[in-house]
């Protein structure tokens, strides 16, 4: 946790939220700081924390939850499963540190961070660690198998993403709907594997939906 960046502390502990950001492979907590700061300006009563992955990336720079060297459709699920206990432990640690429970926790991941966040919804008792997942330029490690109970899933994806093609987000949406879930999918014309102002605005709208759900 000492390697993570606290970008904002809430003004008051009343109705505080916890927004955890998870970066992509070969990246760092600092790389998502601009996004976190933009969201913090909208969510004044939120803890906004950018989490650094635990292992050094084997791409030559940055950090990773799991290696992408030689990754395939067949071995990706096992790699994600091996990294999942550490991912969940980081979530629980920040919930304990901040005093914010799962019902007010949002996991926001980009690329590999989105994979981890999405796959966390496929665990038994997934609703125990977060109320919503916002996945940017992500995918499931394997087709969704379980309907996320009490976990809202929001997918955001650039239509010109050549690293993680938008069809993967479309497949994720279809799979979740076939399981009885109600995910959202925002697609961005002309956007590659990245984040722009439109993505920030869309995240803000999805987070605002949280207030409406709570009647705030």
């Amino acid at each position: 946790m000492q390697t993570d960046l606290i970008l904002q502390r809430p003004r008051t502990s009343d109705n505080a939220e916890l927004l955890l950001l998870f970066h992509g492979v070969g990246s760092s907590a600092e790389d998502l700081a601009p996004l976190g700061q933009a969201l913090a300006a909208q969510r004044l009563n939120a803890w906004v924390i950018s989490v650094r992955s635990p292992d050094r990336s084997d791409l030559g720079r940055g950090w990773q939850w799991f290696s992408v060297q030689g990754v395939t459709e067949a071995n990706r699920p096992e790699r994600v499963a091996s990294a999942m206990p550490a991912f969940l432990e980081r979530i629980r640690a920040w919930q304990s540190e901040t005093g914010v429970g799962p019902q007010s926790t949002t996991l926001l991941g980009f690329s590999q961070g989105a994979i981890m966040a999405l796959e966390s919804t496929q665990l038994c008792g997934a609703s125990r660690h977060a109320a919503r997942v916002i996945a940017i330029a992500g995918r499931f490690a394997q087709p969704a198998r379980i309907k996320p109970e009490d976990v809202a899933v929001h997918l955001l994806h650039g239509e010109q993403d050549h690293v993680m093609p938008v069809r993967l987000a479309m497949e994720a949406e279809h799979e979740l709907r076939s399981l009885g879930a109600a995910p959202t999918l925002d697609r961005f014309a002309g956007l590659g594997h990245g984040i722009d102002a439109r993505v920030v605005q869309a995240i803000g709208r999805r987070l605002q939906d949280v207030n409406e759900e709570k009647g705030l």
Side-chain angles (χ1 to χ4, degrees):
M1 289 172 60
Q2 294 179 349
T3 60
D4 302 341
L5 291 180
I6 299 177
L7 300 172
Q8 177 174 269
R9 291 176 169 83
R11 292 182 173 182
T12 172
S13 60
D14 295 337
N15 297 315
E17 302 173 71
L18 176 60
L19 180 55
L20 296 174
L21 282 63
F22 300 93
H23 62 77
V25 64
S27 188
S28 68
E30 288 78 7
D31 290 332
L32 285 185
L35 172 61
Q37 290 162 350
L39 297 176
Q42 304 174 24
R43 314 294 295 180
L44 298 179
N45 213 41
W47 287 89
V48 182
I49 299 166
S50 187
V51 176
R52 197 198 76 183
S53 301
D55 301 326
R56 288 193 176 277
S57 171
D58 49 19
L59 295 179
R61 65 173 295 275
W63 304 84
Q64 65 186 21
W65 286 100
F66 61 90
S67 173
V68 295
Q69 293 284 9
V71 70
T72 65
E73 294 299 312
N75 64 29
R76 183 181 291 104
E78 180 180 357
R79 296 187 185 192
V80 172
S82 295
M84 190 58 68
F87 183 80
L88 297 178
E89 177 55 34
R90 193 69 65 87
I91 296 168
R92 288 191 290 264
W94 276 116
Q95 289 171 337
S96 177
E97 178 72 17
T98 63
V100 178
Q103 71 281 357
S104 296
T105 297
T106 296
L107 311 181
L108 194 159
F110 174 76
S111 195
Q112 188 177 89
I115 293 175
M116 297 300 300
L118 285 171
E119 279 296 319
S120 75
T121 70
Q122 297 299 287
L123 305 173
C124 293
S127 60
R128 297 175 185 171
H129 61 259
R132 64 204 60 82
V133 165
I134 298 176
I136 309 168
R139 59 167 294 172
F140 282 103
Q142 56 184 310
R145 293 83 62 201
I146 300 173
K147 175 188 175 183
E149 295 293 344
D150 301 320
V151 183
V153 177
H154 303 295
L155 307 163
L156 299 90
H157 219 107
E159 292 187 343
Q160 298 304 313
D161 191 336
H162 299 298
V163 175
M164 203 88 70
V166 68
R167 65 172 175 77
L168 295 170
M170 297 168 64
E171 290 170 1
E173 181 194 27
H174 175 75
E175 292 158 7
L176 289 171
R177 289 192 180 280
S178 70
L179 293 167
T184 64
L185 172 58
D186 291 299
R187 296 166 54 175
F188 304 93
L191 179 64
H193 194 65
I195 299 170
D196 65 9
R198 294 172 297 169
V199 175
V200 177
Q201 292 171 357
I203 295 171
R205 289 195 300 271
R206 297 308 177 190
L207 289 174
Q208 184 61 34
D209 290 343
V210 174
N211 282 352
E212 295 174 357
E213 291 168 4
K214 294 179 178 180
L216 299 178

